[in-house]
């Protein structure tokens, strides 16, 4: 950008800064949402519940299907997979 265009767009600097901050918050939220680690921990905890007898096979299957769907969504969104929703 030239000096004149920088001077002319100077009043927009707070808007650009706000948009950058919003983008950073969105990126951080997406990284947290699509992190597969919490889902893997939930799957392990679910298996422990089944083995300890706190839940039955039907409940295990239902919750496992939900978690596996969620894990698939996380893995599809990971960089390098070539599949982004």
């Amino acid at each position: 950008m030239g000096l004149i265009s920088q001077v002319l767009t100077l009043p927009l600097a707070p808007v650009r800064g706000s948009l950058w901050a919003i983008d950073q918050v969105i990126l951080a939220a997406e990284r947290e949402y699509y992190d597969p680690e919490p889902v893997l921990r939930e799957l392990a905890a679910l298996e422990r519940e089944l083995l300890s007898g706190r839940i039955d096979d039907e409940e295990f299957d239902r919750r496992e299907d939900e978690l596996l769907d969620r894990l698939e969504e996380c893995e599809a969104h990971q960089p390098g997979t070539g599949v982004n929703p």
Side-chain angles (χ1 to χ4, degrees):
M1 246 193 256
L3 180 61
I4 293 176
S5 60
Q6 284 183 351
V7 169
L8 292 175
T9 61
L10 188 60
L12 298 176
V15 173
R16 286 193 303 263
S18 297
L19 291 176
W20 177 84
I22 290 169
D23 283 342
Q24 296 305 306
V25 169
I26 290 171
L27 288 173
E30 284 180 345
R31 277 192 302 270
E32 186 175 325
Y33 181 78
Y34 290 113
D35 183 10
E37 282 302 314
V39 179
L40 293 172
R41 283 194 300 269
E42 285 185 54
L43 279 168
L46 182 63
E47 185 174 3
R48 284 192 300 272
E49 287 183 39
L50 176 68
L51 294 175
S52 70
R54 289 189 297 237
I55 61 173
D56 60 5
D57 288 338
E58 184 178 311
E59 175 72 9
F60 175 81
D61 288 340
R62 184 186 62 76
R63 289 173 53 192
E64 182 188 38
D65 287 343
E66 291 172 2
L67 289 170
L68 290 176
D69 288 345
R70 177 77 179 98
L71 184 61
E72 188 176 299
E73 180 183 2
C74 291
E75 289 175 350
H77 196 279
Q78 293 298 315
T81 60
V83 181
N84 283 336

